[in-house]
């Protein structure tokens, strides 16, 4: 198992290169300083390159709450996953409304 000391200090990396989607980082319990830096310097951060594809990190509570409770503005599409209460809530495929706009199956 990787120890936290084997991971680069996030303050030594360019902010645009931070990628928290690394399972080993969590296994080593080394994610905390990464999230600390993101919350302080880039609370909504785009990671263009990861093993899982590009993604956005939203790291402040109020921002997370806004994104999670406003599906009209923040539509994530068929590849979106939610994790609540330790269980996978699924990646519902969007369905088309009668007006042709995509809508999450969870909101139908």
């Amino acid at each position: 198992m990787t120890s936290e000391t084997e991971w680069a200090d996030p303050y030594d990396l360019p902010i645009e290169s931070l990628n928290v989607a690394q399972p080993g980082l969590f296994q080593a319990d080394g994610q905390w300083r990464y999230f600390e830096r993101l919350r302080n310097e880039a609370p909504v951060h785009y990671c263009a390159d990861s093993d899982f594809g590009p993604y956005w990190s939203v790291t402040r509570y109020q921002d997370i709450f806004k994104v999670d409770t406003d599906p009209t503005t923040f539509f994530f599409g068929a590849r979106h996953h939610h994790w609540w209460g330790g269980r996978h809530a699924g990646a519902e495929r969007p369905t088309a409304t009668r007006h042709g706009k995509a809508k999450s199956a969870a909101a139908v």
Side-chain angles (χ1 to χ4, degrees), residues 47-89:
C47 178
D49 187 28
S50 82
D51 290 343
F52 307 101
Y55 67 92
W56 289 93
S57 290
V58 181
T59 58
R60 290 186 179 159
Y61 176 83
Q62 288 299 329
D63 297 330
I64 294 167
F65 185 84
K66 175 66 177 168
V67 168
D68 205 36
T69 59
D70 186 357
T72 303
T73 302
F74 302 101
F75 178 76
F76 301 100
R79 293 184 49 174
H80 180 63
H81 295 269
H82 274 296
W83 292 86
W84 287 303
R87 69 175 184 81
H88 185 259

Side-chain angles (χ1 to χ4, degrees), residues 30-47:
Q31 74 275 15
W32 304 111
R33 286 182 46 84
Y34 282 74
F35 282 115
E36 173 187 71
R37 181 164 184 212
L38 290 175
R39 273 191 304 277
N40 291 333
E41 297 177 33
V44 178
H45 176 265
Y46 182 72
C47 178

Side-chain angles (χ1 to χ4, degrees), residues 2 4 24-32:
T2 307
E4 183 176 351
L25 186 63
F26 287 83
Q27 290 168 342
D29 200 29
Q31 74 275 15
W32 304 111

